Amino acid sequence: MPSRSAAGVRTGVRVVVAGDRGTGKSSLISAAASDAFPEYVPAVLPPTRLPSDFYPDGVPVTIVDTSSSMESRVKLIDELKRADAVVLTYACDQPMTLSRLSSFWLPELRKLEIKAPVIVVGCKLDLRDERQPMNLEQVMAPIMQQFREIETCIECSSATLIQVPDVFYYAQKAVLHPTAPLFDQEKQTLKPRCIRALKRIFMLCDHDMDGALSDAELNEFQVKCFNAPLQPAEIVGVKRVVQERIRGGVSDLGLTLEGFLFLHALFIEKGRLETTWAVLRKFGYNDELKLRDDILPVPTKHAPDQTVELTNEAIDFLCGIFRLYDSDNDGSLQPSEFDDIFVTAPESPWTVDPYVDAAERTPQGNLTINGFLSEWALMTTLDPSYCLANLICIGYGGDPTSALRVTRRRSVDRKKKQTEKNVFHCFVFGPKKSGKSALLNSFTGRPFSSNYTPTNDVRYVANAVEQIGGSQKTLILQEIPEDGVKKLLSNKECLAACDVAVFLYDSLWCIPIASSDEYSWKRSRELLLDVARRGEESGYGVPCLLIAAKDDLDPFPMSLQNSARVTQQLGMEAPIPVGVKLRDSKSVFSRIVSAAEHPHLSIPETEKGKKRKRYRRLVNSSLMFVSVTVGAAVAVVGLAAYRAYAARKNT
């Protein structure tokens, strides 16, 4: 049974109780469920459920008892891996069981990669020797310093019912209102992602954008999050606390961002994590401090050959954002300006693969407007939900459903012999050293390098391409490593998202001394045929182009003649010659976009594919002939029957 609803809200908490034998696990569970000390308990209790009204949060708790015996180890590990929280027990009258927590149980949880929060519980408090008093905080401090997964420590007695209900309250609280995403215990500060989320919330509530929450804005925030207004005296009290503790937390205009962040850090330090979590969840955040899926209305693709694009409304918003943060008006974003845009997002999205270095930049490393919009187009293509979440986080105030659109199916585009897409996805195939990486680098304005660095993973770049007539399209190039082609083509729908494919080969292949270059042409031709066959088998055939790289190094004429003959046999355009340094590459990218704009042309046909097409035509014409013949026969029989009927009637 899932522990979360469709909206990401927890519908239950699963707590697993573990510890050495004889530490009081089963008695603790039984006492919590029945509010009485059991006279007899079995060795291991069946799962016990505390109803939703047992604790204030209204979420039921399922408690799972375990055995520490070797025979039950497999079952114990399975239960621990399914736990939302783990309660580790020791016996207050057996000091050795407390030592075993740090020597065995806590290291074991790490070894098993258990990520659930841990509550350390001392049972049998009533049996502790009064002559040996223990300071729990003093004993547990070094253990909690070493094992940060421990949320809290508590001692209880099942016999006297002292603090028994509190054990599972803290376990539930550790799951519903976890500390780890919000607060760094070691540094005693809010974590960066928490600060970013709270900063966004502050900016959303600062309606007049004066950098402070007025009394009216504070009250509106309070009502939104907690359904109750603040009294004037309470607002004064809040401000006084902030003023006394942090300089600049309150200004003449109201509570500043620094004061707002301080208040939440104070809530967490005082153990009131539920207050900060209530605010975060009200504004759509999940436990990872990312926007929940239920508030991201990403349009649904109904077929694999559909893609998602930004709408004109979203692009206009992004252009406005670019101008707003381009403070020096130089037409590009410096790293600091770029970081400011995403200061209210969980993180800056383009500092990691596949987005890092995927767009055009100036020689100084600044992001141009084309590069900025191309990064957004790439993110929309690869991860529409992530794109929409970032749009909302940086301040997109329109209807989220108006930010993205689903394109028409490519199969429909082929039939209509035109496309309405603004973003085209191109697969770049070719053997090693054929110039794939150089082509991608050229597309984003990076200088040519003679040093060969193999590409082992899929790589993306994106940029705008000006077409004849002034129209502009965004082209995404995806480099497919030679070693990854087989895995890619093993997926039947691998070409569904591809608008055009290009195949590079080294045009020096016919020079006798260059045996590796001969391999380049043969391998590129093999890749082309493999892709053509996959397209014919899956129904997702794509326009293909052949690119002869290093054309400026006096290729042997026979190379171009042979490659031209192959493209002619497959029904493709003639190969496109490109220089080694790709100085003339702009026309290449324009040709690629043009091929994508005509989805019914340049689709290679193998001999098998041609035979299959002729067979279909023959079958269709035969069926048409049969239907016409049968129709004529029916008509003749019908006419004869009518004449016989008419003659009988006259008689």
Side-chain angles (χ1 to χ4, degrees):
M1 176 179 164
S3 61
R4 291 182 185 273
S5 68
V9 179
R10 283 199 173 267
T11 56
V13 173
R14 187 180 183 86
V15 180
V16 173
V17 182
D20 284 347
R21 182 179 180 181
T23 53
K25 301 187 294 292
S26 302
S27 296
L28 171 64
I29 298 170
S30 182
S34 63
D35 198 28
F37 180 65
E39 293 294 330
Y40 166 79
V41 289
V44 178
L45 289 169
T48 303
R49 189 175 187 273
L50 303 182
S52 57
D53 59 355
F54 202 88
Y55 295 120
D57 281 301
V59 178
V61 177
T62 299
I63 308 172
V64 179
D65 195 7
T66 62
S67 170
S68 58
S69 67
M70 287 303 296
E71 297 80 15
S72 304
R73 179 168 172 74
V74 173
K75 183 172 176 56
L76 170 64
I77 293 173
D78 179 60
E79 292 293 358
L80 288 171
K81 288 182 178 293
R82 296 169 58 199
D84 295 321
V86 176
V87 167
L88 283 184
T89 60
Y90 67 91
C92 293
D93 62 336
Q94 302 174 46
M96 182 60 70
T97 59
L98 176 58
S99 302
R100 284 262 300 166
L101 294 184
S102 53
S103 65
F104 173 74
W105 283 104
L106 289 163
E108 182 71 3
L109 292 182
R110 286 190 175 179
K111 181 180 175 183
L112 296 173
E113 298 182 348
I114 306 299
K115 304 298 183 185
V118 176
I119 311 298
V120 172
V121 179
C123 299
K124 305 184 181 182
L125 180 60
D126 56 302
L127 299 181
R128 172 175 285 152
D129 190 344
E130 295 181 358
R131 293 171 298 178
Q132 297 179 348
M134 186 186 82
N135 185 322
L136 181 63
E137 184 176 345
Q138 187 176 353
V139 172
M140 288 303 303
I143 299 176
M144 294 182 72
Q145 187 75 20
Q146 182 182 357
F147 298 97
R148 294 287 181 181
E149 54 269 37
I150 300 175
E151 283 281 334
T152 191
C153 304
I154 185 174
E155 291 186 328
C156 66
S157 168
S158 299
T160 61
L161 302 180
I162 294 175
Q163 297 197 124
V164 168
D166 295 350
V167 170
F168 299 105
Y169 169 72
Y170 286 127
Q172 184 199 58
K173 185 178 179 181
V175 176
L176 299 181
H177 316 298
T179 304
L182 306 183
F183 201 72
D184 189 320
Q185 298 277 18
E186 191 168 342
K187 297 178 180 178
Q188 289 294 294
T189 57
L190 294 173
K191 287 191 172 179
R193 187 173 283 189
C194 179
I195 292 174
R196 286 169 171 263
L198 291 173
K199 190 174 290 187
R200 170 178 170 260
I201 292 169
F202 179 89
M203 293 173 69
L204 288 173
C205 296
D206 182 17
H207 300 303
D208 54 11
M209 294 184 288
D210 62 356
L213 298 183
S214 64
D215 291 358
E217 289 168 337
L218 265 177
N219 233 333
E220 187 177 335
F221 164 79
Q222 178 74 12
V223 171
K224 179 180 176 68
C225 296
F226 305 104
N227 298 317
L230 286 170
Q231 298 302 316
E234 292 176 309
I235 295 178
V236 171
V238 168
K239 289 181 178 179
R240 185 185 302 116
V241 169
V242 174
Q243 280 179 317
E244 290 173 354
R245 299 285 296 274
I246 181 170
R247 186 177 180 182
V250 177
S251 71
D252 294 338
L253 300 173
L255 185 71
T256 64
L257 174 61
E258 290 77 10
F260 186 72
L261 294 176
F262 166 77
L263 273 179
H264 285 282
L266 186 62
F267 291 146
I268 294 169
E269 288 176 19
K270 299 290 186 182
R272 293 174 54 191
L273 289 97
E274 62 274 13
T275 302
T276 299
W277 275 115
V279 171
L280 291 165
R281 285 170 179 145
K282 196 60 157 181
F283 283 85
Y285 287 95
N286 61 18
D287 287 356
E288 296 176 348
L289 296 185
K290 295 180 180 180
L291 293 182
R292 296 192 310 269
D293 291 341
D294 63 294
I295 64 170
L296 300 175
V298 178
T300 304
K301 294 193 297 181
H302 297 288
D305 57 347
Q306 289 181 300
T307 55
V308 179
E309 293 183 2
L310 291 165
T311 62
N312 290 334
E313 182 178 330
I315 292 173
D316 289 343
F317 165 77
L318 291 172
C319 289
I321 286 290
F322 185 92
R323 290 191 297 269
L324 178 66
Y325 284 87
D326 181 17
S327 55
D328 51 7
N329 295 317
D330 63 349
S332 64
L333 294 176
Q334 298 176 17
S336 59
E337 295 170 331
F338 171 75
D339 290 340
D340 286 344
I341 292 177
F342 292 101
V343 76
T344 53
E347 58 267 319
S348 186
W350 303 336
T351 55
V352 294
D353 289 331
Y355 306 108
V356 64
D357 295 332
E360 179 184 52
R361 292 180 181 267
T362 67
Q364 294 75 31
N366 299 340
L367 197 63
T368 64
I369 181 65
N370 278 343
F372 182 69
L373 295 177
S374 297
E375 287 275 25
W376 279 101
L378 176 61
M379 184 161 57
T380 308
T381 298
L382 300 182
D383 194 342
S385 179
Y386 188 46
C387 169
L388 184 57
N390 277 287
L391 270 175
I392 293 172
C393 283
I394 68 171
Y396 182 74
D399 183 352
T401 59
S402 67
L404 305 177
R405 74 178 188 95
V406 175
T407 63
R408 192 168 64 189
R409 293 191 61 178
R410 272 202 317 112
S411 57
V412 175
D413 286 346
R414 275 203 307 273
K415 291 176 183 177
K416 292 183 177 291
K417 300 182 180 181
Q418 61 180 358
T419 181
E420 300 172 342
K421 297 181 71 170
N422 296 311
V423 180
F424 296 113
H425 193 163
C426 172
F427 285 3
V428 181
F429 294 95
K432 294 180 176 68
K433 299 186 178 181
S434 60
K436 299 189 298 296
S437 296
L439 183 72
L440 269 68
N441 289 337
S442 169
F443 191 39
T444 52
R446 286 172 175 74
F448 173 78
S449 173
S450 57
N451 296 326
Y452 173 68
T453 304
T455 302
N456 299 318
D457 297 317
V458 172
R459 179 188 168 204
Y460 297 88
V461 295
N463 208 345
V465 177
E466 293 281 350
Q467 292 295 87
I468 297 174
S471 66
Q472 190 178 75
K473 303 292 182 180
T474 300
L475 179 62
I476 296 171
L477 299 182
Q478 177 181 346
E479 181 179 354
I480 312 293
E482 183 184 1
D483 297 337
V485 174
K486 185 176 181 180
K487 181 180 179 181
L488 173 73
L489 296 181
S490 65
N491 179 0
K492 186 177 180 181
E493 297 179 348
C494 63
L495 298 178
C498 178
D499 296 296
V500 58
V502 299
F503 298 81
L504 276 78
Y505 73 96
D506 188 335
S507 63
L508 304 178
W509 65 271
C510 266
I511 298 177
I513 60 171
S515 59
S516 62
D517 299 328
E518 183 177 355
Y519 167 80
S520 179
W521 159 244
K522 288 182 178 179
R523 183 60 181 140
S524 186
R525 185 179 57 188
E526 289 172 1
L527 293 172
L528 172 58
L529 291 173
D530 288 343
V531 170
R533 279 190 288 267
R534 171 50 76 195
E536 290 171 345
E537 292 166 1
S538 65
Y540 297 120
V542 296
C544 294
L545 298 175
L546 200 60
I547 296 180
K550 307 180 185 179
D551 179 67
D552 53 345
L553 297 183
D554 298 324
F556 195 77
M558 187 66 68
S559 68
L560 292 178
Q561 292 177 18
N562 286 344
S563 57
R565 186 169 61 250
V566 169
T567 55
Q568 187 176 12
Q569 290 171 350
L570 293 173
M572 296 165 50
E573 289 186 32
I576 304 171
V578 178
V580 65
K581 296 186 179 180
L582 296 152
R583 295 190 185 95
D584 53 349
S585 59
K586 281 190 177 180
S587 62
V588 174
F589 304 126
S590 182
R591 293 273 296 274
I592 293 172
V593 170
S594 180
E597 288 181 314
H598 300 86
H600 59 297
L601 301 178
S602 292
I603 300 177
E605 284 188 296
T606 64
E607 284 302 317
K608 187 176 180 181
K610 291 175 182 177
K611 289 180 181 178
R612 188 182 292 119
K613 184 180 286 188
R614 286 195 295 268
Y615 175 74
R616 286 201 191 103
R617 286 175 180 167
L618 179 62
V619 170
N620 289 338
S621 61
S622 300
L623 289 174
M624 189 176 294
F625 173 76
V626 169
S627 63
V628 170
T629 304
V630 171
V634 169
V636 170
V637 171
L639 181 60
Y642 174 76
R643 287 177 175 174
Y645 168 75
R648 193 179 302 116
K649 185 177 180 183
N650 291 337
T651 303

